[in-house]
Amino acid sequence: MFFSRLHAFLFALFSIASVAHAASPCAEFAVKLPNLSRALCEAAKLQSTGVRSVAGKMLWSRDIRPSQANLRVLVVGGIHGDELSSAALPFHWIKLAAQGSGGAQAIHWRFVPVLNPDGLLSQPPSRVNGHGVDLNRNFPTPNWTREAKNYWEKRTGKDPRRWPGPTPLSEPETRFLHDQIQRFKPDLIVSIHAPYGVLDFDGPSVPPTKLGRLYLDQVGIFPGSLGNYGGVHKGVPVVTIELPNSTRTPLDREISEMWHDLLRWAGKRVGVAQDLPAMPRSRETLLR
């Protein structure tokens, strides 16, 4: 009887500790991510998605849905865990969206700041997830089985940092984002990366020419990439932001400038995106 009660007590303590840990990721994120204070992280009011990574880490999101919103925008950071700035930037934009800054009140926002917590929180941070999969090669683009394997073997020399995985959507993180695209039905996807310092675009509509100091330089598409899947295959415009540095965010005023440039372009272009043909793209240029 004593051991049964002790077991129950220890299990209860473990459960309480697990819930407390899951209540907020900010203790870990604020330490790990550049230009992210604990206060800014907590102010983002991230909500548990109920979906966990390979290593059991919770995936978090935040919806901001003004009553007058007529567009849906999905913002994703931290797809590659070693691109720390890409996960920090969404927290600053969550603050601006919550304030309704620059006309943000016309948009229903869904932010996923850290898609790859396993890679981000590992020591040292890792591009790939807990299974060693490059999440930005794991989306179900046409002919994935043939093209993703050939690309990995012949173009990257079997680089382990760019392994596409055994099958498309083999990873809980990519299955989660795929489900978000299916359910949320975004009019625009913003995918944040680093460190090439350019602005990329896939899909219909006329692309933005710049966001802040980042200028359009379409780097190409890859088998299994989010830009290929969303922009080319699904016809949802995908703006890929390549921050200049993976360990430092732009200055706060530059973050705000990028935000306002994005809003101006989205207001003019995204609403008519589905009426325009997809832009032709080369297969690849950089090993994004």
Side-chain angles (χ1 to χ4, degrees):
M1 178 67 71
F2 171 78
F3 288 105
S4 296
R5 290 179 177 176
L6 178 62
H7 176 77
F9 175 72
L10 293 175
F11 179 79
L13 284 179
F14 175 78
S15 299
I16 292 171
S18 298
V19 170
H21 178 72
S24 170
C26 289
E28 293 179 299
F29 286 173
V31 170
K32 193 78 172 185
L33 297 178
N35 195 19
L36 179 65
S37 66
R38 181 69 180 267
L40 181 61
C41 182
E42 296 291 358
K45 299 180 180 179
L46 297 182
Q47 299 173 340
S48 166
T49 66
V51 177
R52 292 186 180 272
S53 67
V54 170
K57 299 183 184 300
M58 184 63 66
L59 301 185
W60 301 85
S61 69
R62 171 69 191 278
D63 265 42
I64 298 174
R65 186 177 185 177
S67 59
Q68 62 270 50
N70 54 24
L71 292 175
R72 294 179 300 278
V73 178
L74 175 63
V75 180
V76 187
I79 296 175
H80 292 143
D82 58 356
E83 298 170 4
L84 303 180
S85 59
S86 76
L89 178 64
F91 288 93
H92 295 264
W93 281 5
I94 289 172
K95 178 180 179 180
L96 293 172
Q99 294 171 344
S101 176
Q105 65 272 17
I107 296 173
H108 177 185
W109 298 92
R110 179 162 297 174
F111 293 90
V112 181
V114 182
L115 184 67
N116 182 7
D118 292 354
L120 186 141
L121 295 172
S122 65
Q123 294 291 346
S126 170
R127 175 185 175 96
V128 296
N129 77 339
H131 281 156
V133 173
D134 182 344
L135 299 180
N136 205 35
R137 298 291 185 273
N138 194 241
F139 292 95
T141 53
N143 302 314
W144 185 96
T145 301
R146 174 175 55 83
E147 292 188 357
K149 182 174 183 292
N150 288 343
Y151 185 90
W152 179 62
E153 291 179 349
K154 297 177 181 178
R155 301 290 301 193
T156 77
K158 296 186 178 181
D159 182 353
R161 298 179 70 250
R162 292 177 170 82
W163 184 49
T167 59
L169 299 180
S170 61
E171 308 311 299
E173 300 91 346
T174 48
R175 289 196 297 272
F176 163 75
L177 193 60
H178 179 266
D179 183 65
Q180 292 296 303
I181 294 171
Q182 297 295 108
R183 294 173 179 270
F184 185 54
K185 300 185 184 303
D187 299 295
L188 170 67
I189 298 171
V190 180
S191 177
I192 308 173
H193 288 271
Y196 291 115
V198 297
L199 180 65
D200 193 14
F201 182 83
D202 296 288
S205 181
V206 176
T209 57
K210 76 178 190 71
L211 293 184
R213 295 187 179 184
L214 303 181
Y215 285 85
L216 184 67
D217 184 2
Q218 293 177 274
V219 300
I221 57 173
F222 310 91
S225 71
L226 179 58
N228 189 345
Y229 174 71
V232 178
H233 179 53
K234 300 295 287 185
V236 179
V238 179
V239 172
T240 300
I241 294 171
E242 280 281 350
L243 298 174
N245 192 297
S246 62
T247 59
R248 296 197 308 270
T249 68
L251 298 175
D252 288 353
R253 68 172 182 273
E254 294 175 17
I255 291 175
S256 179
E257 184 181 354
M258 292 167 63
W259 169 259
H260 285 89
D261 284 347
L262 177 67
L263 291 178
R264 279 191 290 269
W265 171 79
K268 293 177 181 178
R269 299 297 184 183
V270 174
V272 297
Q274 301 304 318
D275 298 328
L276 298 174
M279 297 180 65
R281 299 295 307 279
S282 62
R283 295 304 300 171
E284 27 64 30
T285 302
L286 297 175
L287 293 180
R288 165 79 292 228

